[in-house]
Amino acid sequence: MIVRIAARSEEFFRRWLPDPFVFAVLLTILTAVAAATWVGAGPTEILGGWYDGLWMLLEFGMQMVLILATGYAIALSAPVAGLIDRLAKKVNTANAVYLTVLIVGNLLVLVSWGWVVLTAVLGRELAQRVRGVHYPYLVACVFFSSGSWVAGLSSSIPLLLNTPGNFLIDAGLLPATIPISATLGSPLNLTVIAVWLIGGPTVMWLLRPRDTAIEIDQLRTGSDAAKEKTVAEEAEALRDPEPILSDRLNHSAVLQLFVVAMGLAYIVMHFARRGFDLNLNIMIFSFLIFGMLLHRTPICYVTAMARACSNISGIVFQYPFYAGIMGIMMATGLGKAIAVWMAS
């Protein structure tokens, strides 16, 4: 029955659910219409608010790009790959694979939502080593395990609210920063994390396939056979056959580790002075420094970031549209009208 429901759900969403960018466009149109009909805003006011708003979230959008890319780059490092390999060697049954992915995946994304890639890599490695793993269900486990990020350390809104000079403060919507003790560290958020970590894997475990297994080898295509180069292998392939100065600088661990030492010193200084004070900037900076440390050389880190940035296109061109929607609501008074209506 579960298989039939899943198949029907997949077909329904494939037919009716468009790309996320379409939602951004539809919401822009809906907001403009609401501004005109609800608060009586004119075309000039709506268009001006929309255009001005497009540029309001550039800093926030860049922060989102960096928190994803720098977290992803850490996931691509050789030490992390070694940890995944050692963990994969200790898992021997299909049921153990499911539980490992669900538990480890939830813990990883509590640190960074970009680390869902680690869960995906771990799941793929386990599926290739253990017989009897239902791979489509395992993919669902990976996806499900990424849900806890919103309550974790890289949750964008709590970190934004604690970031000095954020766009909400600049716009006069927020009088001051809100510490993470009131958001991520609140009893409500900690309760949500506990319920998710216990209840989520339990529900997924009860839904696991018991009769059939669609293994990864059955789903491979011809192009899947070639093993992707590691970041270190790709960086080494870029080395010039002659011993030239540019290559020595590109592969110099000394240069990178000097900057890493500076970064680690600042991170220690930050937390020594402010306690466990997390915001978007210090999280991104920490990911950046630890990523450079794990990749060791400039060319390896550049290669890792090039791969990580292949996943950011949605953030780059969709965030301005979300900001434009916010601009219309602020310029026309629609946002205030909605707030008053909801409060009443």
Side-chain angles (χ1 to χ4, degrees):
M1 182 181 70
I2 295 296
V3 174
R4 290 198 301 272
I5 293 174
R8 290 176 182 175
S9 299
E10 187 274 335
E11 179 63 17
F12 174 82
F13 284 109
R14 187 184 68 81
R15 285 179 174 273
W16 296 102
L17 194 67
D19 187 86
F21 179 59
V22 176
F23 283 104
V25 173
L26 290 174
L27 285 172
T28 300
I29 298 171
L30 178 63
T31 305
V33 171
T37 57
W38 194 341
V39 297
T44 303
E45 190 178 11
I46 293 172
L47 291 174
W50 179 56
Y51 178 80
D52 292 339
L54 287 173
W55 320 113
M56 291 177 61
L57 294 185
L58 290 182
E59 180 182 0
F60 180 61
M62 187 62 177
Q63 288 169 326
M64 293 298 97
V65 165
L66 286 173
I67 202 167
L68 174 59
T70 53
Y72 198 149
I74 290 175
L76 295 175
S77 66
V80 171
L83 286 174
I84 290 175
D85 184 65
R86 287 195 290 274
L87 178 60
K89 289 179 180 177
K90 298 180 180 181
V91 180
N92 302 312
T93 66
N95 287 336
V97 169
Y98 305 143
L99 281 177
T100 300
V101 166
L102 287 166
I103 295 171
V104 173
N106 273 296
L107 295 176
L108 286 173
V109 297
L110 283 175
V111 179
S112 169
W113 54 279
W115 286 8
V116 66
V117 66
L118 282 175
T119 313
V121 172
L122 173 63
R124 185 178 63 188
E125 288 296 317
L126 291 172
Q128 291 176 152
R129 300 181 187 204
V130 179
R131 305 298 300 176
V133 172
H134 192 286
Y135 196 66
Y137 171 74
L138 183 62
V139 172
C141 290
V142 172
F143 180 79
F144 185 86
S145 70
S146 67
S148 59
W149 76 269
V150 74
L153 297 180
S154 68
S155 184
S156 52
I157 298 303
L159 294 181
L160 171 71
L161 297 177
N162 195 38
T163 300
N166 64 70
F167 71 89
L168 293 172
I169 293 177
D170 290 342
L173 301 176
L174 194 68
T177 57
I178 299 176
I180 61 167
S181 59
T183 53
L184 297 180
S186 67
L188 175 61
N189 192 62
L190 296 177
T191 301
V192 168
I193 292 174
V195 171
W196 184 274
L197 290 180
I198 298 172
T202 301
V203 171
M204 289 298 293
W205 173 259
L206 294 174
L207 294 175
R208 72 191 187 281
R210 293 174 174 81
D211 299 326
T212 59
I214 304 174
E215 297 187 354
I216 187 172
D217 290 337
Q218 298 173 246
L219 302 173
R220 288 187 186 277
T221 62
S223 59
D224 293 331
K227 187 178 184 297
E228 184 182 31
K229 288 183 178 180
T230 65
V231 167
E233 290 169 345
E234 185 176 340
E236 189 62 30
L238 297 174
R239 189 187 290 271
D240 196 276
E242 298 181 10
I244 55 178
L245 177 62
S246 60
D247 259 359
R248 292 178 181 177
L249 294 174
N250 287 340
H251 293 84
S252 172
V254 175
L255 288 176
Q256 185 140 306
L257 292 179
F258 184 83
V259 176
V260 167
M262 292 174 58
L264 290 175
Y266 180 82
I267 292 170
V268 171
M269 184 174 66
H270 171 87
F271 289 112
R273 289 179 176 178
R274 305 186 184 185
F276 193 61
D277 180 38
L278 284 180
N279 55 55
L280 278 174
N281 294 337
I282 194 62
M283 280 293 290
I284 293 167
F285 185 75
S286 299
F287 286 166
L288 175 68
I289 295 302
F290 283 109
M292 293 175 66
L293 174 64
L294 293 174
H295 285 285
R296 299 195 61 206
T297 66
I299 194 64
C300 278
Y301 194 64
V302 167
T303 303
M305 285 296 284
R307 291 190 185 183
C309 288
S310 65
N311 300 282
I312 63 173
S313 60
I315 296 176
V316 170
F317 73 91
Q318 287 184 44
Y319 267 58
F321 278 85
Y322 301 143
I325 293 169
M326 185 175 73
I328 295 174
M329 297 179 73
M330 291 174 62
T332 63
L334 176 62
K336 182 177 180 180
I338 293 175
V340 170
W341 171 74
M342 292 180 68
S344 66

